[in-house]
Amino acid sequence: MQMDERKRKILRAIVLDYIATAEPIGSRTIARKFDLGVSPATIRNEMADLEDLGFIEQPYTSAGRIPSDAGYRYFVDCLMDPQVLSEEEKETIERESTKRIHEIQEVISHTSRLLSELTNLTSLVLGPQKGKSTFGKMHFLPYQPGQVIMVIVKENGAIENHIIDVGENITVEDLQHVAGVFNQKMRGYSLGQVKRSLLHEIYGELSRQRQLIDNTMDMLREILSDNEEEERIYLGGTLNMLNQPEFRDLGKVKTLFKVFEENEPLKKLLHPHHEGLNVTIGGENTLKEFRDCSVISATYKVNGLTIGAVGVLGPTRMDYAKVIAIVDFMTRSLAEVLARGKPRGY
Amino acid sequence: MQMDERKRKILRAIVLDYIATAEPIGSRTIARKFDLGVSPATIRNEMADLEDLGFIEQPYTSAGRIPSDAGYRYFVDCLMDPQVLSEEEKETIERESTKRIHEIQEVISHTSRLLSELTNLTSLVLGPQKGKSTFGKMHFLPYQPGQVIMVIVKENGAIENHIIDVGENITVEDLQHVAGVFNQKMRGYSLGQVKRSLLHEIYGELSRQRQLIDNTMDMLREILSDNEEEERIYLGGTLNMLNQPEFRDLGKVKTLFKVFEENEPLKKLLHPHHEGLNVTIGGENTLKEFRDCSVISATYKVNGLTIGAVGVLGPTRMDYAKVIAIVDFMTRSLAEVLARGKPRGY
DNA sequence: TGTTAGCACTCTCCCTCGATGAGTGCTAAC
DNA sequence: GTTAGCACTCATCGAGGGAGAGTGCTAACA
């Protein structure tokens, strides 16, 4: 048995209606709502075929049909009318993206909020991967007696400062000397790359300031370690899930929200199978908690380099066309923002 | 009608049982579970009195009784056995608090997590109020061509850095001069306090670096404005609410979680009526969303100065004795941690 | 051969009804 | 003042039945 034009039309009708109403739909209703020019009986026959093909299923005997994961997949791949955003929506996104932005955090939280507001679903945003956390330059500034501020500029432009104890009898010259040696020896290295020999050299040149060096190295270790914290995924609009009829069950809500508190599963959800836009439907998700959910995700690039991803999580019964359009537009807008005014910190 | 010893015993039994089971309790069950030496009928009479006094109520005719807000209040004020934490619990808290802590953020998130884990309720933590954000000292460091890093040390010890554009033709001497003037004129002032005359002076002395001054002032305005962001309340264990039978209703969950997303209502919840430990029961909360909830909150001090507050939010039917003990112990532990190794940023 | 009308059948949903049981308030006896 | 007895109330639960939506099958039709 093969798909023909009429079967396609009927499948399309079923998916569209189910997305809109969340109710199983029967042959009679299809005939009434969608003008297919055939009687309910004919539609019934076709529906039996579509069920054999695995595209639709019945929650129970003599209920209407609902799309299966495969049905949604076929719909997304072959049946869906690509949608363009309304001017209003485009404007909302662009208005946000023209705001001046200082910190990468702000970009992420804006994006996340916008995505969830526009889709009424939950948004996932993976910020730009930090550039390699390699040592750029170091400065010391006076702070309290016995303490100095160590300012580290990484090669990716991020700046961090920490206070370190130096003891009372360190002079400004000592500090300048230490900073000078570090700046000369360590530029471009991450801490993992600092070889023993290099350490040796540093300790050799700075034997007098032993304790200062130790403290400095401790801090550097912390700052330059590729902190996995950075890969945190930002969630937005989790409460929107509560509005979905498929989450009327408190147990489901609980397991879902529990997963939201962890980072790893979300990362898995967002990590793309390939570059560009991904649609993952229901059981295609590896995690069983999300077998009723779909994810539309997309990576974004700056200067031809993929640096992050955004996504939208919703029930399998989501408005794919619309969400895809939003995610697509959003990644473009985001890439633009990042390319234009490179915010600090990545 | 007055409370007597037997009425007190019965009220205590009702509250204790309802806290444990979340089920209305009847005279027969009280007689069976609690050995009061009187028959159910006697208890019934007393319960009628307690209802007249407003301490208990019936969800519907011929159901058992449950404590009213006033009943809980009487219980907390007069009937409750103060509880001491188990050694195990004390140890858990103290183990956490001996960890070395760098950032105030970490202290807050630890506290929040611990509180919600120990109580199985939702925790609220208001971090130490930042000290006055007055200008301490300023440094400039080289960054990119045309940009410098401005490092601001506030008088409360917090350090922030920002990048500002300076144009190509600024020399190191110019920068030093600017920093010098600011350091001399502005120490100890918050931005609101910078008088026109002072600004005048600064502009007068630095007329050559007009643009740099403008940019610097912009940044300072941002950094020194008493950012209300700082007063954010940290929530922990919000999901614990889902385990409470009183939130089996999805509608309630939704409104509750919606409030959780805002800051102002939570602040109101936590802001103490008086120093030390506060118990706010049900309708005593001003917000209607929390009329089924109670809050145990407490302020904490460092050097005799109240600097923040923690709290636990749960259904009115919570184990007051235990939660009070935990919150109390926690604030002490927190004060200790903060007094010992003063983390940066407040 | 594909399409359609008719029809019996199935299954959920919702309402009603009665039994059950917990708990009460009242009364009268102790 | 306390207690036993009793009639009464009301939520909960399960069974039963009607309504309604939808199906699959069959036979007639183009």
Side-chain angles (χ1 to χ4, degrees), chain B residues 6 39 42 44-45 60-62:
Chain B
R6 194 167 63 192
S39 77
T42 309
R44 265 205 295 287
N45 288 329
Y60 49 87
T61 325
S62 90

Short mmCIF file of all heavy atoms in Angstrom, two decimals, chain B residues 6 39 42 44-45 60-62, chain D residues 2-6 9-11:
data_model
loop_
_atom_site.label_atom_id
_atom_site.label_comp_id
_atom_site.label_asym_id
_atom_site.label_seq_id
_atom_site.Cartn_x
_atom_site.Cartn_y
_atom_site.Cartn_z
N ARG B 6 -7.74 20.12 79.12
CA ARG B 6 -8.21 19.05 78.22
C ARG B 6 -8.41 19.58 76.80
O ARG B 6 -8.06 18.93 75.82
CB ARG B 6 -9.50 18.44 78.76
CG ARG B 6 -9.82 17.14 78.07
CD ARG B 6 -10.91 16.37 78.80
NE ARG B 6 -12.15 17.11 78.80
CZ ARG B 6 -13.19 16.78 79.56
NH1 ARG B 6 -13.11 15.75 80.39
NH2 ARG B 6 -14.30 17.49 79.51
N SER B 39 -13.91 9.46 76.79
CA SER B 39 -14.58 8.78 75.67
C SER B 39 -14.72 9.73 74.48
O SER B 39 -14.63 10.94 74.62
CB SER B 39 -15.96 8.33 76.11
OG SER B 39 -16.82 9.44 76.11
N THR B 42 -17.16 12.67 74.98
CA THR B 42 -16.60 13.82 75.69
C THR B 42 -15.76 14.67 74.74
O THR B 42 -15.88 15.89 74.69
CB THR B 42 -15.71 13.35 76.85
OG1 THR B 42 -16.45 12.42 77.61
CG2 THR B 42 -15.28 14.51 77.69
N ARG B 44 -16.06 14.82 71.68
CA ARG B 44 -16.97 15.51 70.75
C ARG B 44 -17.45 16.83 71.32
O ARG B 44 -17.47 17.84 70.64
CB ARG B 44 -18.17 14.61 70.45
CG ARG B 44 -17.99 13.79 69.20
CD ARG B 44 -19.34 13.42 68.62
NE ARG B 44 -20.14 12.55 69.47
CZ ARG B 44 -19.90 11.26 69.68
NH1 ARG B 44 -18.85 10.70 69.10
NH2 ARG B 44 -20.66 10.54 70.43
N ASN B 45 -17.84 16.77 72.58
CA ASN B 45 -18.31 18.01 73.21
C ASN B 45 -17.21 19.07 73.21
O ASN B 45 -17.45 20.24 72.88
CB ASN B 45 -18.75 17.73 74.65
CG ASN B 45 -20.05 16.95 74.68
OD1 ASN B 45 -20.88 17.11 73.77
ND2 ASN B 45 -20.22 16.10 75.67
N TYR B 60 -16.84 19.77 55.87
CA TYR B 60 -18.27 19.65 55.56
C TYR B 60 -18.92 18.92 56.73
O TYR B 60 -18.25 18.30 57.55
CB TYR B 60 -18.51 18.88 54.26
CG TYR B 60 -17.75 17.58 54.20
CD1 TYR B 60 -18.31 16.42 54.73
CD2 TYR B 60 -16.50 17.50 53.61
CE1 TYR B 60 -17.62 15.23 54.70
CE2 TYR B 60 -15.80 16.32 53.57
CZ TYR B 60 -16.37 15.18 54.12
OH TYR B 60 -15.68 14.00 54.07
N THR B 61 -20.22 19.03 56.80
CA THR B 61 -20.93 18.38 57.90
C THR B 61 -20.53 16.92 57.99
O THR B 61 -20.44 16.24 56.98
CB THR B 61 -22.46 18.43 57.65
OG1 THR B 61 -22.77 19.64 57.00
CG2 THR B 61 -23.21 18.30 58.94
N SER B 62 -20.31 16.50 59.19
CA SER B 62 -20.02 15.11 59.49
C SER B 62 -18.73 14.60 58.86
O SER B 62 -18.57 13.41 58.59
CB SER B 62 -21.17 14.20 59.07
OG SER B 62 -21.03 13.76 57.75
P DT D 2 -15.91 15.97 82.41
OP1 DT D 2 -14.50 15.66 82.71
OP2 DT D 2 -16.28 16.91 81.36
"O5'" DT D 2 -16.62 14.59 82.16
"C5'" DT D 2 -16.46 13.54 83.12
"C4'" DT D 2 -17.21 12.32 82.65
"O4'" DT D 2 -18.63 12.59 82.66
"C3'" DT D 2 -16.86 11.85 81.23
"O3'" DT D 2 -16.46 10.50 81.30
"C2'" DT D 2 -18.16 12.06 80.45
"C1'" DT D 2 -19.22 11.95 81.54
N1 DT D 2 -20.50 12.65 81.30
C2 DT D 2 -21.66 11.92 81.27
O2 DT D 2 -21.71 10.72 81.46
N3 DT D 2 -22.81 12.66 81.04
C4 DT D 2 -22.88 14.02 80.81
O4 DT D 2 -23.95 14.56 80.62
C5 DT D 2 -21.62 14.72 80.83
C7 DT D 2 -21.58 16.19 80.61
C6 DT D 2 -20.49 14.02 81.07
P DT D 3 -15.87 9.78 80.03
OP1 DT D 3 -14.84 8.83 80.48
OP2 DT D 3 -15.56 10.80 79.03
"O5'" DT D 3 -17.11 8.94 79.55
"C5'" DT D 3 -17.75 8.05 80.47
"C4'" DT D 3 -19.05 7.56 79.89
"O4'" DT D 3 -19.99 8.64 79.80
"C3'" DT D 3 -18.93 6.98 78.46
"O3'" DT D 3 -19.42 5.65 78.49
"C2'" DT D 3 -19.83 7.88 77.62
"C1'" DT D 3 -20.80 8.43 78.66
N1 DT D 3 -21.41 9.74 78.34
C2 DT D 3 -22.77 9.84 78.27
O2 DT D 3 -23.53 8.90 78.47
N3 DT D 3 -23.25 11.10 77.96
C4 DT D 3 -22.48 12.23 77.72
O4 DT D 3 -23.02 13.29 77.46
C5 DT D 3 -21.06 12.05 77.80
C7 DT D 3 -20.16 13.20 77.55
C6 DT D 3 -20.58 10.82 78.10
P DA D 4 -18.93 4.64 77.37
OP1 DA D 4 -18.24 3.51 78.03
OP2 DA D 4 -18.27 5.37 76.27
"O5'" DA D 4 -20.34 4.13 76.85
"C5'" DA D 4 -21.30 3.70 77.82
"C4'" DA D 4 -22.68 3.69 77.18
"O4'" DA D 4 -23.15 5.05 77.03
"C3'" DA D 4 -22.74 3.05 75.79
"O3'" DA D 4 -23.84 2.16 75.74
"C2'" DA D 4 -22.92 4.24 74.85
"C1'" DA D 4 -23.65 5.25 75.73
N9 DA D 4 -23.40 6.65 75.40
C8 DA D 4 -22.18 7.25 75.21
N7 DA D 4 -22.24 8.53 74.94
C5 DA D 4 -23.61 8.80 74.95
C6 DA D 4 -24.33 9.98 74.73
N6 DA D 4 -23.76 11.15 74.46
N1 DA D 4 -25.67 9.90 74.80
C2 DA D 4 -26.24 8.73 75.06
N3 DA D 4 -25.65 7.55 75.30
C4 DA D 4 -24.33 7.64 75.22
P DG D 5 -24.14 1.32 74.43
OP1 DG D 5 -24.67 0.01 74.87
OP2 DG D 5 -22.97 1.41 73.53
"O5'" DG D 5 -25.34 2.15 73.79
"C5'" DG D 5 -26.35 2.67 74.65
"C4'" DG D 5 -27.39 3.39 73.82
"O4'" DG D 5 -26.98 4.78 73.65
"C3'" DG D 5 -27.56 2.82 72.41
"O3'" DG D 5 -28.96 2.80 72.11
"C2'" DG D 5 -26.82 3.80 71.53
"C1'" DG D 5 -27.01 5.12 72.27
N9 DG D 5 -25.97 6.11 72.06
C8 DG D 5 -24.61 5.88 71.99
N7 DG D 5 -23.92 6.98 71.80
C5 DG D 5 -24.89 7.98 71.72
C6 DG D 5 -24.75 9.38 71.51
O6 DG D 5 -23.71 10.03 71.36
N1 DG D 5 -25.98 10.01 71.50
C2 DG D 5 -27.19 9.40 71.67
N2 DG D 5 -28.26 10.17 71.63
N3 DG D 5 -27.34 8.10 71.87
C4 DG D 5 -26.16 7.45 71.88
P DC D 6 -29.47 2.03 70.79
OP1 DC D 6 -30.69 1.29 71.16
OP2 DC D 6 -28.34 1.35 70.13
"O5'" DC D 6 -29.90 3.27 69.89
"C5'" DC D 6 -30.62 4.35 70.48
"C4'" DC D 6 -30.74 5.48 69.48
"O4'" DC D 6 -29.57 6.32 69.57
"C3'" DC D 6 -30.82 5.01 68.02
"O3'" DC D 6 -31.82 5.72 67.34
"C2'" DC D 6 -29.44 5.32 67.47
"C1'" DC D 6 -29.13 6.60 68.26
N1 DC D 6 -27.69 6.94 68.31
C2 DC D 6 -27.30 8.28 68.27
O2 DC D 6 -28.17 9.15 68.19
N3 DC D 6 -25.97 8.59 68.31
C4 DC D 6 -25.08 7.61 68.39
N4 DC D 6 -23.78 7.96 68.44
C5 DC D 6 -25.45 6.25 68.44
C6 DC D 6 -26.75 5.95 68.39
P DT D 9 -30.75 14.39 58.01
OP1 DT D 9 -31.52 15.63 57.81
OP2 DT D 9 -31.11 13.16 57.28
"O5'" DT D 9 -29.22 14.71 57.70
"C5'" DT D 9 -28.45 15.45 58.65
"C4'" DT D 9 -27.03 15.54 58.14
"O4'" DT D 9 -26.31 14.32 58.49
"C3'" DT D 9 -26.89 15.70 56.62
"O3'" DT D 9 -25.91 16.70 56.37
"C2'" DT D 9 -26.46 14.32 56.16
"C1'" DT D 9 -25.64 13.83 57.36
N1 DT D 9 -25.54 12.36 57.51
C2 DT D 9 -24.31 11.80 57.74
O2 DT D 9 -23.28 12.45 57.80
N3 DT D 9 -24.33 10.44 57.90
C4 DT D 9 -25.43 9.60 57.84
O4 DT D 9 -25.31 8.39 58.00
C5 DT D 9 -26.69 10.26 57.60
C7 DT D 9 -27.95 9.45 57.52
C6 DT D 9 -26.69 11.60 57.45
P DC D 10 -25.93 17.49 54.99
OP1 DC D 10 -25.64 18.90 55.29
OP2 DC D 10 -27.11 17.10 54.19
"O5'" DC D 10 -24.65 16.87 54.29
"C5'" DC D 10 -23.41 16.91 54.99
"C4'" DC D 10 -22.47 15.88 54.43
"O4'" DC D 10 -22.87 14.56 54.86
"C3'" DC D 10 -22.43 15.84 52.89
"O3'" DC D 10 -21.10 16.00 52.49
"C2'" DC D 10 -22.96 14.44 52.56
"C1'" DC D 10 -22.57 13.67 53.82
N1 DC D 10 -23.34 12.42 54.04
C2 DC D 10 -22.67 11.29 54.49
O2 DC D 10 -21.46 11.34 54.70
N3 DC D 10 -23.39 10.15 54.68
C4 DC D 10 -24.70 10.13 54.43
N4 DC D 10 -25.36 8.99 54.64
C5 DC D 10 -25.39 11.29 53.97
C6 DC D 10 -24.68 12.41 53.79
P DA D 11 -20.78 16.43 51.00
OP1 DA D 11 -20.26 17.81 51.02
OP2 DA D 11 -21.90 16.06 50.12
"O5'" DA D 11 -19.53 15.47 50.70
"C5'" DA D 11 -18.39 15.56 51.54
"C4'" DA D 11 -17.61 14.28 51.46
"O4'" DA D 11 -18.44 13.18 51.93
"C3'" DA D 11 -17.14 13.89 50.06
"O3'" DA D 11 -15.82 13.39 50.13
"C2'" DA D 11 -18.14 12.82 49.63
"C1'" DA D 11 -18.50 12.16 50.94
N9 DA D 11 -19.86 11.62 50.98
C8 DA D 11 -21.02 12.29 50.71
N7 DA D 11 -22.10 11.55 50.83
C5 DA D 11 -21.61 10.32 51.22
C6 DA D 11 -22.25 9.09 51.51
N6 DA D 11 -23.57 8.91 51.47
N1 DA D 11 -21.46 8.05 51.87
C2 DA D 11 -20.14 8.22 51.92
N3 DA D 11 -19.44 9.32 51.67
C4 DA D 11 -20.24 10.34 51.32
#
